[in-house]
Amino acid sequence: MGRHGARWEGVLGSFLEVEVEAPWGRGPKALVAALEEVRRLEGVFSRHRESELTRLVRQGGGRPGPELMEVLRLALSLQEATGGAFHPAPRHGGEALRFQGEEVAILAPLDLDGLAKGYIADKAVAAALRAGARAALVNLGGDLARQGPGEAEVLVEDPLGPDNAPPAFRLRLGQGGVATSGVRHKGAHLLDPRTLRPAPGLQATVLAPSACLADGLTKALFVLGWEAFPVLARFRAQGVLFTPQGPVAGP
């Protein structure tokens, strides 16, 4: 059994890091399998190139494939659970999609970036395990997914500290995912879909049963603040909300 790792730049406009624990001879195959799964799913979810998502939006709806359908259903579930603080079309608000049996009507330009990156990280981990890895950790542009025995320590940076500041918080990730949304690297870029104005706040981090869920719930925690903790509990997730007075953990 050995540990293997690789990093690729320019994946989904960001970076991809994969670490696996695998029997000798299977590690490199597991790394490649994770990368290939990410590239395959880019063809499903990308907003910046031709994809299944862009075709569905352009046509105003249709019959999505199972992966896109899964994310669309979760997006609608999170929108309802958060009172619109998470939204599949955050720059437009209102009703964005409507299910009609196995088809879906698209009522606004969808932006699934708040879920898709985490979903792709989850699937990349699963691909690495199918290729022979015993455990796998995927970091896709800051969204982390992990499965397998053991744990990984996740260091959460201080949104107000200098680049060399010690971690503000430490999390243990066994099975599931971690995602962070904040102003440190991109400024006040997160919109409150209910007002279509930038949401006030510093940073939110969520640990959830999947990276996809963590990805969506971290946006809700950033927008709602501590009021989101009951929502996180419904999804068996935990969060860390950073305030000017310091981090607050819940629920």
Side-chain angles (χ1 to χ4, degrees), residues 193-205:
R194 303 166 301 175
T195 64
L196 302 183
R197 296 180 179 178
L202 293 176
Q203 185 171 289
T205 296

Side-chain angles (χ1 to χ4, degrees), residues 15 104 138 154:
F15 65 89
V104 60
V138 167
V154 179

Side-chain angles (χ1 to χ4, degrees), residues 26-114:
R26 296 187 182 180
K29 293 180 179 179
L31 295 174
V32 171
L35 175 63
E36 290 178 346
E37 183 72 345
V38 171
R39 287 175 170 167
R40 183 184 72 83
L41 289 171
E42 185 176 12
V44 176
F45 293 105
S46 178
R47 290 190 303 118
H48 308 292
R49 48 168 276 195
E50 183 72 7
S51 68
E52 183 182 351
L53 175 62
T54 61
R55 289 191 294 272
L56 190 73
V57 172
R58 186 169 61 243
Q59 296 164 4
R63 183 181 291 251
E67 293 152 335
L68 183 53
M69 177 65 89
E70 183 180 1
V71 173
L72 289 173
R73 290 195 183 280
L74 179 57
L76 190 59
S77 176
L78 286 175
Q79 181 184 356
E80 294 171 350
T82 63
F86 175 89
H87 201 285
R91 297 186 179 277
H92 295 268
E95 187 179 14
L97 58 97
R98 184 183 304 156
F99 292 108
Q100 302 168 331
E102 295 301 314
E103 296 195 352
V104 60
I106 304 300
L107 309 175
L110 299 182
D111 178 353
L112 298 179
D113 291 357

